[in-house]
Amino acid sequence: MGQEIIDKLEMLEEYINNLRELQQHSLEELDNDYVLRGAVERYMQIALECMLDIGEMIISMERIKRPDAYKEIFRTLGEHGILPEAFARKIEPAAGFRNVLVHMYVKVDLERLYDNLQNGVEDMELFLEYIARYLAGKEG
């Protein structure tokens, strides 16, 4: 399971790098270029799914009671000291945004998408950092 988590972390890092490159575009460009918008939506979706998958794997690995809903994964990681609790609460809405991207893609609010692109990627990087630190502590 450990290598599987590491593989997912590497994928997440790649998606974050792609999102960082896409941050250079303006809201107007995102509105006028459906291919660009599609790229942002897709990379955002798979990055968030990657984070949730990593969370589920760690919950399983640690034999923690599995949360009932996707949105509870980050909270569960916070409650068990895997993520700082305040950070877990802060990123909890990201699971809901992932659901919007997957199930309500026609209704994705452009400004919310742009805001997540400009401001949410840093939280993805922090998540990656916290999980890597947690895993390193498990090895030591």
Side-chain angles (χ1 to χ4, degrees):
M1 172 93 53
Q3 186 58 48
E4 199 176 338
I5 295 171
I6 290 167
D7 291 346
K8 283 274 186 188
L9 285 171
E10 288 172 357
M11 290 168 55
L12 177 58
E13 187 173 25
E14 182 182 323
Y15 302 148
I16 289 169
N17 290 336
N18 292 338
L19 287 165
R20 280 284 182 211
E21 285 183 33
L22 292 168
Q23 283 179 322
Q24 67 184 313
H25 297 282
S26 69
L27 177 61
E28 186 179 348
E29 287 174 295
L30 209 58
D31 191 25
N32 293 326
D33 186 339
Y34 68 92
V35 173
L36 174 63
R37 181 177 175 157
V40 171
E41 287 179 1
R42 179 67 177 151
Y43 280 119
M44 186 72 61
Q45 174 193 335
I46 58 179
L48 293 170
E49 286 181 354
C50 212
M51 291 167 65
L52 291 162
D53 288 349
I54 290 165
E56 284 185 316
M57 285 184 224
I58 290 174
I59 287 167
S60 174
M61 180 178 80
E62 296 296 340
R63 293 183 168 82
I64 297 168
K65 182 184 179 297
R66 193 180 185 111
D68 294 326
Y70 244 6
K71 66 180 182 178
E72 297 170 1
I73 292 172
F74 297 132
R75 183 184 323 148
T76 300
L77 294 174
E79 289 169 351
H80 288 86
I82 296 160
L83 293 175
E85 262 193 271
F87 177 73
R89 280 192 305 275
K90 179 183 179 200
I91 66 167
E92 194 172 334
F97 188 60
R98 174 254 172 218
N99 290 342
V100 169
L101 289 169
V102 171
H103 303 293
M104 308 280 286
Y105 48 87
V106 175
K107 297 180 181 178
V108 173
D109 179 85
L110 183 63
E111 289 185 12
R112 184 174 180 197
L113 178 66
Y114 186 74
D115 181 61
N116 273 283
L117 175 63
Q118 296 305 321
N119 303 309
V121 178
E122 186 176 316
D123 286 338
M124 292 176 179
E125 291 171 329
L126 278 172
F127 174 86
L128 194 139
E129 193 177 302
Y130 287 134
I131 295 299
R133 208 178 297 157
Y134 174 76
L135 293 174
K138 298 287 290 175
E139 292 173 3

